[in-house]
Amino acid sequence: MNGIVKVSVILPVYNVEPYLREALESLVNQTLKDIEIIAVNDGSTDNSEEILKEFQSRDSRVKYFSQENQGLSGARNTGLVLCKGKYIYFMDSDDIVDTHALEMCYATAHQHDADVCIFDADIIYEKGARPLPWDYNRSSILQEDKRYKGNELMNLLLDTGKHNAVVWLQFIKADYLEKLQLNFFRGIIHEDELFTPQLLLQTNSIFYIAQRFIKHRVRNTSIVGKGYSKRNLNCYMTVFDELFKFQDSPIIRKFARYTLEKAFYTGHLIPMREKPAVFWRALRSGYLKYIGLKSTLAFWLKRKHL
């Protein structure tokens, strides 16, 4: 990360052929021209690689790299090693970014010497995708041109039910991220739930931009669109295993309650045969106090609606 370009966009790519062209078009048409687009082909088996080759031949700012499948965390970590921008943006390869987004984020971050800028998103639902019980709009809660400390920001968002850990709503100073030696935990889903608190709670210079820069696509085959499984719950618990190693504090405990209560309530969807092992892990790890009685009863007794 030596600051050769203004912004590095890290774009993990895995079997997103129907959406990748639109995502890349939204990047190469940014009003901020001094960027690099690091696309990490994470073992795609469709024609995603051919699309990446096409865009690389069209635009020298597109740099694609191929690796065996390592999951989203592994692809992002590869991008972090390769990037040279002053700021970093992690984009999902089926999303669309507003053409002014990177220019406005760079201007705000540069003006305020911000370590992190955050912003909002709209949602695009694909046919058959399950509607999300939340949105990505925080304009009624947060103020522009205010310097937030991470602890203050996260407490506010948790208390108002507006916390969302996704990294594609963050614009991060590269040198600062390198200083923290922070990357993505491999082998889990919900990895942003670990990365974002570790980032925010070490950061005292965060600015909010009240713009919905991202059109976030929720697909029937995406992680959030798939059926709930024991892997979801086990990965959430791995997140908190790591977070409590990082910091055993009131805000981590609040975040555990905020997250695990919802996760285990939704856990009523997993097959009964998978529930004992998951629940035993929660009991053994001391997480039942964060899950609460209502979610525990729902986990065991609520019937799945077909």
Side-chain angles (χ1 to χ4, degrees):
M1 301 180 191
N2 54 15
I4 292 176
V5 295
K6 288 182 176 177
V7 179
S8 294
V9 179
I10 297 176
L11 186 75
V13 174
Y14 179 71
N15 289 353
V16 285
E17 179 184 352
Y19 316 104
L20 181 57
R21 191 178 301 278
E22 194 171 15
L24 287 166
E25 289 286 0
S26 74
L27 287 172
V28 298
N29 290 313
Q30 288 291 304
T31 55
L32 181 67
K33 302 302 181 185
D34 188 12
I35 67 173
E36 63 174 2
I37 301 156
I38 299 177
V40 181
N41 179 28
D42 192 43
S44 295
T45 57
D46 63 1
N47 288 320
S48 293
E49 185 170 12
E50 296 306 311
I51 296 171
L52 292 175
K53 286 180 180 178
E54 174 196 330
F55 273 81
Q56 184 173 252
S57 67
R58 279 175 44 189
D59 193 322
S60 62
R61 298 173 302 168
V62 179
K63 304 167 186 177
Y64 97 86
F65 303 85
S66 288
Q67 63 185 30
E68 292 184 4
N69 183 258
Q70 298 180 26
L72 188 55
S73 290
R76 285 174 175 163
N77 288 342
T78 296
L80 279 172
V81 172
L82 297 169
C83 70
K84 298 175 181 177
K86 296 177 182 177
Y87 294 89
I88 294 170
Y89 175 59
F90 297 102
M91 182 173 171
D92 276 6
S93 54
D94 53 358
D95 286 352
I96 305 164
V97 59
D98 183 89
T99 54
H100 299 278
L102 297 182
E103 183 175 24
M104 291 182 68
C105 286
Y106 181 84
T108 300
H110 185 71
Q111 175 187 351
H112 296 292
D113 192 26
D115 292 322
V116 178
C117 290
I118 61 173
F119 41 86
D120 294 334
D122 288 317
I123 302 172
I124 305 171
Y125 288 105
E126 295 289 293
K127 184 178 179 180
R130 182 181 300 156
L132 301 179
W134 62 81
D135 60 35
Y136 298 104
N137 180 19
R138 298 165 289 187
S139 59
S140 63
I141 304 300
L142 300 180
Q143 302 174 41
E144 289 193 300
D145 298 320
K146 176 179 177 178
R147 188 182 302 273
Y148 287 93
K149 294 183 178 181
N151 192 287
E152 169 197 13
L153 177 67
M154 196 165 166
N155 264 309
L156 175 60
L157 294 174
L158 288 172
D159 289 344
T160 55
K162 285 291 190 177
H163 174 76
N164 200 297
V166 292
V167 296
W168 40 263
L169 294 180
Q170 302 165 16
F171 186 83
I172 308 168
K173 186 185 289 184
D175 286 347
Y176 182 70
L177 195 59
E178 188 173 38
K179 176 184 173 182
L180 296 181
Q181 297 185 312
L182 184 59
N183 57 21
F184 293 88
F185 193 93
R186 291 179 58 174
I188 62 170
I189 53 177
H190 309 303
E191 64 286 319
D192 291 3
E193 304 284 350
L194 174 56
F195 178 94
T196 293
Q198 288 179 311
L199 172 66
L200 296 184
L201 294 178
Q202 298 181 80
T203 305
N204 292 319
S205 182
I206 305 170
F207 282 82
Y208 170 65
I209 305 170
Q211 297 285 334
R212 301 183 193 182
F213 283 144
I214 306 301
K215 289 182 172 60
H216 176 62
R217 197 184 307 269
V218 176
R219 297 184 281 139
N220 195 37
T221 55
S222 67
I223 290 172
V224 292
K226 287 181 180 176
Y228 212 71
S229 73
K230 66 178 181 181
R231 187 182 180 205
N232 293 84
L233 291 176
N234 277 319
C235 287
Y236 276 124
M237 287 189 282
T238 297
V239 163
F240 285 99
D241 291 345
E242 296 302 314
L243 279 177
F244 279 114
K245 291 177 190 174
F246 163 71
Q247 184 184 110
D248 188 351
S249 64
I251 194 164
I252 295 296
R253 293 191 286 274
K254 181 188 289 188
F255 182 45
R257 191 171 298 108
Y258 180 90
T259 303
L260 293 177
E261 188 174 64
K262 296 174 186 175
F264 271 81
Y265 186 91
T266 311
H268 75 271
L269 295 170
I270 73 175
M272 182 60 71
R273 67 181 179 277
E274 297 179 353
K275 292 184 178 182
V278 171
F279 194 77
W280 172 243
R281 177 178 175 184
L283 177 64
R284 191 176 68 245
S285 301
Y287 293 149
L288 291 191
K289 60 181 175 287
Y290 304 117
I291 296 166
L293 180 60
K294 180 181 176 182
S295 293
T296 298
L297 291 174
F299 177 80
W300 286 110
L301 302 177
K302 184 176 170 65
R303 296 184 64 182
K304 179 178 179 181
H305 294 290
L306 301 177

